[in-house]
Amino acid sequence: MKKLTHIDDAGRANMVDVGNKNQQSRSATAEGFISLNAETVKLIGENQIKKGDVITVAEIAGIQAAKRTSELIPLCHTLLLTKVEVHCELLEDGIRATCTAKCIGQTGVEMEALTGVQVALLTIYDMCKAVDKAMVINQVRLLEKTKSDL
Amino acid sequence: MKKLTHIDDAGRANMVDVGNKNQQSRSATAEGFISLNAETVKLIGENQIKKGDVITVAEIAGIQAAKRTSELIPLCHTLLLTKVEVHCELLEDGIRATCTAKCIGQTGVEMEALTGVQVALLTIYDMCKAVDKAMVINQVRLLEKTKSDL
Amino acid sequence: MKKLTHIDDAGRANMVDVGNKNQQSRSATAEGFISLNAETVKLIGENQIKKGDVITVAEIAGIQAAKRTSELIPLCHTLLLTKVEVHCELLEDGIRATCTAKCIGQTGVEMEALTGVQVALLTIYDMCKAVDKAMVINQVRLLEKTKSDL
Amino acid sequence: MKKLTHIDDAGRANMVDVGNKNQQSRSATAEGFISLNAETVKLIGENQIKKGDVITVAEIAGIQAAKRTSELIPLCHTLLLTKVEVHCELLEDGIRATCTAKCIGQTGVEMEALTGVQVALLTIYDMCKAVDKAMVINQVRLLEKTKSDL
Amino acid sequence: MKKLTHIDDAGRANMVDVGNKNQQSRSATAEGFISLNAETVKLIGENQIKKGDVITVAEIAGIQAAKRTSELIPLCHTLLLTKVEVHCELLEDGIRATCTAKCIGQTGVEMEALTGVQVALLTIYDMCKAVDKAMVINQVRLLEKTKSDL
Amino acid sequence: MKKLTHIDDAGRANMVDVGNKNQQSRSATAEGFISLNAETVKLIGENQIKKGDVITVAEIAGIQAAKRTSELIPLCHTLLLTKVEVHCELLEDGIRATCTAKCIGQTGVEMEALTGVQVALLTIYDMCKAVDKAMVINQVRLLEKTKSDL
């Protein structure tokens, strides 16, 4: 029976084999931004958002999500992160989230850093959506990625 | 013992009580965009990305993530989604992902729609990162939210 | 830009909309069989398998997996199961697992029953693989599916 | 073939059928206590624990765990919580955690409240273990459980 | 107090200790088959199944499940898979799914390969159940298992 | 914009960096106790609890939870456990649960051992709550923690 073109080996989903790559010390940092109106920024700064302390909850949610990246992104390898840090900085027109992830492993951690940023920003969205109807998430990108031999 | 200001009830994280809200038919649609260079768009269009069929994998990942929103976003309620659809449209300079989520429940589904978009975009990022080093995710936002009595 | 045929609406992955279906009382029963050699059956019957009580562990694993079906099967709806029961019957040449799942909801529970069977059988495989190298899982199928108005 | 006594129906693990119970408004509150030495209490009160704001992280972890109770406790039904609140009160000799969970459903939410308490206390343990080697968790119990017709 | 026989050490569930085993390069391949009627095979081949592209969704679901094997099978160790590949081949009377999993670790990956097969087959079942009422899963078994020193 | 004191670096939640620590063989044992009335102890000993074999279900639930500790405790690192054992001992006035977890890794496994104990005890609570209204969990603590060079 003839197979469909799009399910040929060329286009078949697969997790690439990293078994022959060296264990290296790896790090990645990503960032993203959520726009907030001035009143929302003020409420967050005064910790008056009804759902709680936006900055702290977002940072924790980002850390937890980074650890579960391989569950969310189908072709990501599971990694043992040695460090995750999410930093949400309150600015005049929104919040900038950055996430640094590190591991010792056979493949990079940029998806973990990006996932940490995305879920931190989504958490901010969730906590502020009762008071801000115009939030937009922008500029989610990788800032830096390193690897070095052990 | 004096409690810290930031752990007063005013700023304490909590899942708001939706027990007294009516069951309603709810829907939300969100979108987002990931920029890709021309060569990456061409490879996706021809299904030549090494990790597989980018559009399909991203759509499935988005659907699955939408169902797990309450695990990722700390203060989101668990909902029984009656429908999730993720649509990734290949454009000249990137991919636009849209996600529509529906449920019959006591609270809205915008976080589910946004989570579906974000994870679809992250999946695209993951699948294309070997060939495109300049991807940025932008314009992630809610397009529409409805509720109607049963 | 022309879209690929295989990402047309016709073939796009989607969770079908069950929002307009009635809440009904639903039940499904599935079964499956794992072949075991005579020595393995004897060891299970005498509870001498090194990893522990095969029957009980398999039944619990099946129950837990049935509750998480919508995480495993991409296009399954999340359901609130009102009952799950997994029964592993030790036979002369293997174990027959049956799973009954019930819910009150807008869509059927056959996938939950089948998932309960499959994970129970995989658990038996895992617990016996040190002593039995020829196990095969067969005859996994739906036995019955019912729905009735509330 | 004779079945083992302990796998007779009498002792077989099963999720009880709640399909015939009425939907009711349900609530439960649980509490627990973790002992801390005076220096640890002081560090928490001044937010000087190296891993971060103990009270807030513990409360969020408890809320998230309560939502996932049915994944952890094999025979618990999945419920849609309408409200979860975890409150960690810093005392002179430790922290008392209380958790209130609510739902509209066919079975009670005491396990969700207890799980919220336990994971909040474990989180405190984790965050303080670098400075306190004698923590003990005690008095984890249900305080109140209510149900009322809709 | 006398303990029950079935909870003696002999029959107690436990995850065996692999801490003293060497890190080795490990691989396993499993297969399974789902019978489909001729009309269903035709619909899949033409990508006309309402829920979407059966082959691709099943392959992705299988990959994701293989990564989560230790959550599903109670006594499985968590492993860092370096490679997972699921291949669903459309035949005249059904689909044969094969899964290859690899890792560098202290224990084998046959359960990961089998779980990938089982969830791929369940996903096919789910996507085709609206049009095919007689599907049966058969011949799920391990094909090959290797280990080699690093 | 001035940042809030409580979101200064001093109090920000973070997963500490263990990347520079050596891989060591690590072990931890924790214990806890749930009080039960005499009638409940008798029912468990005779395996007459309606929900099933309390001891076995609790032990399995504890093992599974230990493997998922890093999902529950926000700042815990993911570890590859080489061994988990949960032992529930039926006493005259309750059940004592102990859990031993082992791994080869860069950080300790006491949280895994404690989580195994807590979820085993919660599972006992769940299975006995229909017949015992006065259960209390006490004395959850670390018994021993070791590390040794490879």
Side-chain angles (χ1 to χ4, degrees):
Chain A
M1 172 167 288
K2 187 176 160 297
K3 288 193 291 179
L4 295 181
T5 302
H6 74 276
I7 57 172
D8 273 355
D9 283 352
R12 169 169 292 122
N14 69 90
M15 246 172 78
V16 297
D17 194 339
V18 299
N20 292 323
K21 296 173 76 173
N22 289 331
Q23 295 273 347
Q24 288 181 296
S25 180
R26 292 162 181 280
S27 172
T29 299
E31 71 164 11
F33 178 78
I34 184 167
S35 63
L36 302 168
N37 64 38
E39 175 64 14
T40 309
V41 170
K42 183 167 173 291
L43 288 170
I44 293 171
E46 295 170 353
N47 200 11
Q48 296 299 326
I49 292 288
K50 186 181 169 193
K51 281 194 169 190
D53 176 350
V54 173
I55 299 290
T56 302
V57 180
E59 290 177 350
I60 297 167
I63 290 169
Q64 291 179 283
K67 291 192 280 184
R68 300 180 71 185
T69 299
S70 69
E71 290 183 38
L72 296 171
I73 313 297
L75 305 175
C76 265
H77 296 81
T78 307
L79 295 173
L80 298 182
L81 298 178
T82 51
K83 165 82 177 171
V84 187
E85 187 170 34
V86 178
H87 187 138
C88 291
E89 186 183 4
L90 188 58
L91 305 175
E92 282 183 25
D93 56 348
I95 291 175
R96 167 162 292 116
T98 54
C99 176
T100 296
K102 297 184 185 178
C103 86
I104 295 172
Q106 294 171 299
T107 185
V109 289
E110 65 262 60
M111 293 316 300
E112 283 73 12
L114 285 159
T115 300
V117 165
Q118 293 280 52
V119 172
L121 295 174
L122 286 172
T123 299
I124 295 167
Y125 195 109
D126 175 52
M127 295 182 76
C128 298
K129 69 185 192 294
V131 295
D132 194 331
K133 306 299 184 190
M135 294 174 282
V136 182
I137 291 170
N138 276 310
Q139 291 295 321
V140 180
R141 58 179 176 167
L142 184 66
L143 289 181
E144 184 184 46
K145 183 184 166 184
T146 68
K147 59 180 172 180
S148 57
D149 293 335
L150 298 180
Chain B
M1 172 167 288
K2 189 176 159 295
K3 288 193 292 178
L4 297 181
T5 303
H6 74 277
I7 56 172
D8 273 355
D9 284 353
R12 168 169 291 122
N14 70 90
M15 247 174 77
V16 298
D17 195 340
V18 299
N20 291 322
K21 296 173 78 172
N22 288 332
Q23 294 273 348
Q24 287 182 297
S25 179
R26 291 161 182 280
S27 174
T29 300
E31 71 164 11
F33 178 78
I34 185 167
S35 63
L36 301 169
N37 64 40
E39 175 64 13
T40 309
V41 169
K42 184 167 173 292
L43 288 170
I44 294 171
E46 296 170 352
N47 200 11
Q48 295 299 326
I49 292 288
K50 185 180 169 195
K51 281 195 168 187
D53 175 350
V54 174
I55 299 291
T56 302
V57 180
E59 290 177 350
I60 297 167
I63 290 170
Q64 290 180 284
K67 289 192 279 183
R68 300 180 71 185
T69 299
S70 69
E71 289 183 39
L72 296 172
I73 313 297
L75 305 175
C76 266
H77 296 80
T78 307
L79 295 173
L80 299 181
L81 297 179
T82 51
K83 165 83 178 171
V84 187
E85 187 171 34
V86 178
H87 187 138
C88 290
E89 187 183 4
L90 188 58
L91 305 175
E92 282 183 24
D93 55 348
I95 292 175
R96 167 162 292 115
T98 54
C99 176
T100 296
K102 297 184 185 179
C103 86
I104 295 171
Q106 293 170 300
T107 185
V109 289
E110 64 263 60
M111 294 316 302
E112 283 72 13
L114 286 159
T115 300
V117 165
Q118 293 279 52
V119 172
L121 295 174
L122 285 171
T123 299
I124 295 167
Y125 194 108
D126 176 52
M127 295 182 75
C128 299
K129 69 184 191 294
V131 295
D132 195 331
K133 306 299 185 190
M135 294 175 281
V136 183
I137 292 170
N138 276 308
Q139 290 294 322
V140 179
R141 59 179 174 167
L142 184 66
L143 289 180
E144 184 184 46
K145 183 183 166 184
T146 67
K147 59 181 172 179
S148 58
D149 293 335
L150 299 179
Chain C
M1 173 167 287
K2 189 176 160 296
K3 287 192 291 177
L4 296 180
T5 303
H6 73 276
I7 55 172
D8 273 356
D9 284 352
R12 168 170 293 121
N14 69 89
M15 247 173 78
V16 298
D17 194 341
V18 299
N20 291 323
K21 295 173 78 171
N22 288 333
Q23 295 273 347
Q24 288 182 297
S25 180
R26 292 160 182 281
S27 174
T29 299
E31 71 164 11
F33 178 78
I34 184 168
S35 62
L36 301 169
N37 64 39
E39 175 64 14
T40 309
V41 169
K42 184 168 172 293
L43 287 170
I44 294 171
E46 295 170 352
N47 199 11
Q48 296 298 326
I49 292 288
K50 186 181 167 195
K51 281 196 168 187
D53 176 350
V54 173
I55 299 291
T56 302
V57 180
E59 290 177 351
I60 297 167
I63 290 170
Q64 289 180 285
K67 289 192 280 184
R68 299 180 71 184
T69 299
S70 68
E71 289 183 39
L72 296 171
I73 313 296
L75 306 175
C76 265
H77 295 80
T78 307
L79 295 173
L80 299 181
L81 297 179
T82 52
K83 166 84 178 169
V84 187
E85 187 171 34
V86 178
H87 187 139
C88 291
E89 187 183 4
L90 189 59
L91 305 174
E92 282 182 25
D93 54 349
I95 292 176
R96 166 161 293 115
T98 54
C99 177
T100 297
K102 297 184 185 178
C103 85
I104 295 172
Q106 294 171 300
T107 185
V109 289
E110 65 263 61
M111 293 317 301
E112 283 72 13
L114 286 159
T115 300
V117 165
Q118 293 279 52
V119 172
L121 295 174
L122 285 171
T123 299
I124 294 167
Y125 195 108
D126 175 53
M127 295 182 76
C128 298
K129 68 183 192 294
V131 295
D132 195 332
K133 306 299 184 192
M135 295 174 282
V136 182
I137 292 170
N138 276 308
Q139 291 294 320
V140 180
R141 58 180 175 168
L142 184 66
L143 290 180
E144 185 186 44
K145 184 183 165 184
T146 68
K147 60 180 173 180
S148 58
D149 292 335
L150 300 180
Chain D
M1 170 164 293
K2 188 176 160 295
K3 286 193 293 179
L4 296 181
T5 302
H6 74 275
I7 55 172
D8 273 355
D9 283 353
R12 168 169 293 121
N14 69 90
M15 246 174 77
V16 299
D17 194 340
V18 299
N20 291 322
K21 296 174 77 171
N22 288 331
Q23 294 273 348
Q24 287 182 297
S25 179
R26 292 161 182 280
S27 173
T29 299
E31 71 164 12
F33 178 78
I34 184 167
S35 63
L36 301 169
N37 64 40
E39 174 65 15
T40 308
V41 169
K42 184 168 172 292
L43 287 169
I44 295 171
E46 295 171 351
N47 200 12
Q48 296 298 327
I49 293 288
K50 185 180 168 194
K51 281 195 169 188
D53 175 352
V54 174
I55 300 291
T56 302
V57 180
E59 290 177 351
I60 297 167
I63 290 169
Q64 290 179 284
K67 290 192 280 184
R68 300 180 72 184
T69 298
S70 69
E71 289 183 38
L72 296 172
I73 313 296
L75 305 175
C76 265
H77 295 79
T78 306
L79 295 173
L80 299 181
L81 298 179
T82 51
K83 165 82 179 171
V84 187
E85 186 170 35
V86 178
H87 187 139
C88 290
E89 186 183 5
L90 188 58
L91 305 175
E92 282 183 23
D93 55 348
I95 292 175
R96 167 162 292 115
T98 54
C99 176
T100 296
K102 296 183 185 180
C103 85
I104 295 172
Q106 293 171 299
T107 185
V109 289
E110 65 264 58
M111 294 316 301
E112 283 73 12
L114 286 159
T115 299
V117 165
Q118 293 279 52
V119 172
L121 295 174
L122 285 171
T123 299
I124 295 167
Y125 195 108
D126 175 53
M127 295 182 75
C128 298
K129 68 184 192 294
V131 295
D132 195 331
K133 306 299 184 191
M135 294 175 281
V136 182
I137 292 170
N138 276 308
Q139 291 295 320
V140 180
R141 59 180 174 165
L142 184 66
L143 290 181
E144 184 185 45
K145 183 184 167 185
T146 68
K147 59 180 172 181
S148 58
D149 293 335
L150 299 180
Chain E
M1 171 167 289
K2 188 176 160 297
K3 288 193 291 179
L4 296 181
T5 302
H6 73 275
I7 56 172
D8 272 355
D9 283 352
R12 168 169 293 122
N14 69 89
M15 245 173 79
V16 298
D17 195 340
V18 299
N20 291 323
K21 297 173 77 172
N22 289 331
Q23 295 273 348
Q24 288 181 297
S25 180
R26 293 161 180 280
S27 173
T29 299
E31 71 164 12
F33 178 78
I34 184 167
S35 63
L36 301 168
N37 64 39
E39 174 65 13
T40 309
V41 170
K42 184 167 173 291
L43 288 170
I44 294 171
E46 296 170 352
N47 201 9
Q48 296 298 326
I49 292 288
K50 186 181 167 193
K51 280 196 169 189
D53 176 352
V54 173
I55 299 290
T56 302
V57 180
E59 289 177 351
I60 297 168
I63 290 170
Q64 290 179 284
K67 291 192 279 183
R68 301 179 71 183
T69 300
S70 69
E71 289 183 39
L72 295 172
I73 313 296
L75 305 175
C76 265
H77 295 81
T78 307
L79 295 173
L80 298 183
L81 298 178
T82 51
K83 165 81 177 172
V84 187
E85 187 170 35
V86 178
H87 188 138
C88 290
E89 187 183 5
L90 189 57
L91 304 174
E92 282 184 23
D93 56 348
I95 291 175
R96 166 162 293 115
T98 54
C99 176
T100 296
K102 297 184 185 178
C103 85
I104 294 172
Q106 295 171 299
T107 186
V109 290
E110 65 263 60
M111 295 316 301
E112 283 72 12
L114 286 159
T115 300
V117 165
Q118 292 279 53
V119 172
L121 295 174
L122 285 172
T123 300
I124 295 166
Y125 195 108
D126 175 53
M127 294 182 77
C128 299
K129 68 185 193 294
V131 295
D132 194 331
K133 305 300 184 189
M135 295 174 281
V136 182
I137 291 170
N138 276 309
Q139 291 294 320
V140 180
R141 57 180 175 166
L142 184 66
L143 290 181
E144 183 184 46
K145 183 183 166 184
T146 68
K147 59 180 172 181
S148 58
D149 292 335
L150 297 181
Chain F
M1 174 168 287
K2 188 175 160 297
K3 288 194 289 179
L4 296 180
T5 302
H6 74 277
I7 55 172
D8 272 356
D9 283 352
R12 168 169 293 122
N14 69 90
M15 248 173 78
V16 297
D17 195 341
V18 299
N20 291 323
K21 296 173 78 172
N22 288 331
Q23 295 272 347
Q24 289 181 295
S25 179
R26 293 160 181 281
S27 172
T29 299
E31 72 164 10
F33 178 78
I34 184 167
S35 63
L36 302 168
N37 64 40
E39 175 64 14
T40 308
V41 170
K42 184 167 173 293
L43 288 170
I44 294 171
E46 297 170 351
N47 200 10
Q48 296 298 326
I49 293 288
K50 186 181 168 193
K51 281 195 169 188
D53 176 350
V54 173
I55 300 290
T56 302
V57 180
E59 290 177 351
I60 297 167
I63 290 170
Q64 290 180 283
K67 291 192 280 184
R68 300 179 72 184
T69 299
S70 69
E71 290 183 39
L72 295 172
I73 313 296
L75 305 175
C76 266
H77 296 81
T78 306
L79 295 173
L80 298 182
L81 297 178
T82 51
K83 165 81 176 171
V84 187
E85 187 170 35
V86 178
H87 187 138
C88 290
E89 186 183 4
L90 188 58
L91 305 174
E92 281 183 25
D93 56 347
I95 292 175
R96 166 162 293 116
T98 54
C99 177
T100 297
K102 296 183 185 179
C103 85
I104 294 172
Q106 295 170 299
T107 185
V109 290
E110 64 263 60
M111 295 316 301
E112 283 72 13
L114 286 159
T115 300
V117 165
Q118 293 280 51
V119 172
L121 295 173
L122 285 172
T123 299
I124 295 166
Y125 195 109
D126 176 52
M127 295 183 75
C128 299
K129 69 184 192 292
V131 295
D132 195 330
K133 306 299 185 192
M135 295 174 282
V136 182
I137 292 169
N138 276 309
Q139 291 295 320
V140 180
R141 58 179 174 168
L142 184 66
L143 289 181
E144 185 185 45
K145 183 183 165 184
T146 68
K147 59 179 172 181
S148 58
D149 292 334
L150 299 180

